[in-house]
Structures are given as C-alpha cells and as structure tokens.
Amino acid sequence: MTLRPLPVLTVVVFVLTAVPSLLQGLLPGLEPALRRDPSAIAEGEWWRLGTSLVVQDGGWLGTLSNLAFLLILGTFAERTLGRVWWLALYLGGAVAGQAAGVLFGTVGAGNSVAVCGLAGGLIAASIVAAVLGGLLLARREAVPGWVFLALTILIAIVLTAAQNLHGPALGAGLLIGALVRRVPTASLQPKEPV
C-alpha cells in the first residue's frame, strides 16, 4: 500500500479555520466580533472580510459540515490540481462570496463560500479535462460532461438570483477551474534553486 503525501495546504487551512470555529463554543462573542458585517465593513473594518472565513454562523452542524467539506474537497483538489490552483480556487470563492455578501447586505460568517470555489473548480477542471481528452468521467457516454457543467452553472445562477453568497463563489470556482487545464503546468511549478 502506497501512502499519499499529506495535503499540507488543506491541513494548514483546516487548522486555521477549525481552531477559531471551535473556540466559538467557549467564547460566544467571537463570531459576532469576526463575522462579515457590511455596515462595519463600510465603516472601515475591512479585516472582517478575512476573519469571517475562520468562524462559522451555522451552529455546530454547519461548523462540522464546513470543516468536513474543506477536508474532503480540499484534499481532492490539492492532490489532483496542485497547491497553486487550490489556493486560486479557495481564494476566488472567498473573494466572490464575500463581495456578494457585502453587495447583498448579508451579515454572516463561514468558509463555505471558499469551499464552493474548490467545488466549482473541481467540476470545471474535470469537464475541461474530459473535453481535452485527459481525465475521463466514468460512464460519460451515458451522461455527457456538459450536463454536469450546465447543471452547476444553473445552480450558481439560481443561488445568485436568490442572493445566496454561494452562487457567486461557485461561479468563481467554475471560471478559475476552467483555466486549470489550459495553463501549462510547468509554468506553475516552483523553480528549483540553482
């Protein structure tokens, strides 16, 4: 049995998110102090755009599901797409989701928007890879790859129309993920020291 390398970036972001998220149970004022609050952001508290990603507003179930999805999708994205794309997808989803939150006037917190960036990117990268002849979806003759992409785009549109922050985050992941197989991998690899 071959052990796969530890998904370091996923583990680091998981710990950075899990610690404050779990501390909320002991410190009830933590989430309100760190959450995304468009009024407070408009008054200059821009740091809330970042801190609201490491606390959760969905109670224990929301916290545990967000952390679980981060581990699952994060590990898969890091192992299949690499750390650079992982970071682009996670940050892309976060930026799109947080921007939508401010635009829609939504007070809240959670890393689910960033995880939606990972999800959208994985879907788009899989479809692009299938179209370009790389990674093939199982039984793709039964359900063409574009059906999954169209369904994901539709979900992103419906969520956005309903002023749900996950729609723009999913859309950002789709756009960034569509670039994954189009950018030469060699240009993203760290350079070896001479």
Side-chain angles (χ1 to χ4, degrees), residues 16 73 93:
L16 291 174
L73 294 174

Side-chain angles (χ1 to χ4, degrees), residues 48-100:
R48 288 177 176 269
L49 293 170
T51 59
S52 61
L53 295 169
V54 298
V55 291
Q56 313 295 322
D57 65 2
W60 286 110
L61 182 60
T63 298
L64 295 177
S65 66
N66 281 351
L67 292 173
F69 282 119
L70 172 58
L71 273 180
I72 294 165
L73 294 174
T75 298
F76 187 62
E78 189 168 346
R79 287 185 174 161
T80 58
L81 305 176
R83 291 184 185 136
V84 172
W85 285 113
W86 189 104
L87 199 55
L89 293 168
Y90 195 81
L91 292 177
V95 167
Q98 297 294 57

